[in-house]
Amino acid sequence: MVKTILDYNATVVTPITNGVNFPIPISPAGREIAVTSVYIDPANPAHYPNKVELKATIGVEAQLDTPNVLVRIWRAGSEIFYGLVELENFYNDWGLISLHMVDINAPAGTQNYQLIVENQDTNAQARVVGPVIFSAMAIGG
């Protein structure tokens, strides 16, 4: 079956390590680090069924103890994805978090996605250091 690219968008907060310095707050507080959106045109016959592929790369640094970084994606005020990453038990340990998620049959219209991080370990500290890249591609048919 033929697939149609309906829309694509990407946000590059920084393409390099040490391009940003965002502390990752302790849960339940989260920090939005990037947003992106796609437009799914209801007039396009290929708009349903659809899939929105979401990809993100986040550079992080463990500053104290063993942070458990929770990454969330929200669409229209609802959480549609979460994943937990435990950073190594070394001070100043660096790492890349990469994720790929598929939002199946997103509603027609503009869909806004938020990339959010939070630390699940109250005794640990971590920060986002870059790169931070967040992209969305809507595919119909």
Side-chain angles (χ1 to χ4, degrees), residues 92-136:
N92 297 319
D93 185 37
W94 302 77
L96 285 178
I97 298 171
S98 292
L99 65 93
H100 184 186
M101 189 272 178
V102 178
D103 186 10
I104 297 174
N105 294 326
T110 301
Q111 299 306 316
N112 297 304
Y113 295 93
Q114 300 169 278
L115 183 63
I116 299 166
V117 292
E118 61 187 66
N119 183 356
Q120 297 275 294
D121 186 342
T122 58
N123 297 316
Q125 295 176 0
R127 65 187 180 126
V128 174
V129 294
V132 178
I133 302 165
F134 189 34
S135 66

Side-chain angles (χ1 to χ4, degrees), residues 2-53:
V2 176
K3 304 295 180 192
T4 303
I5 295 178
L6 303 172
D7 198 11
Y8 173 83
N9 200 354
T11 299
V12 180
V13 177
T14 180
I16 60 171
T17 299
N18 289 325
V20 293
N21 182 3
F22 301 145
I24 300 175
I26 302 295
S27 293
R31 178 168 186 156
E32 178 183 286
I33 59 170
V35 296
T36 193
S37 63
V38 290
Y39 179 67
I40 300 170
D41 186 350
N44 184 332
H47 88 279
Y48 189 87
N50 67 59
K51 294 177 178 63
V52 179
E53 289 194 1

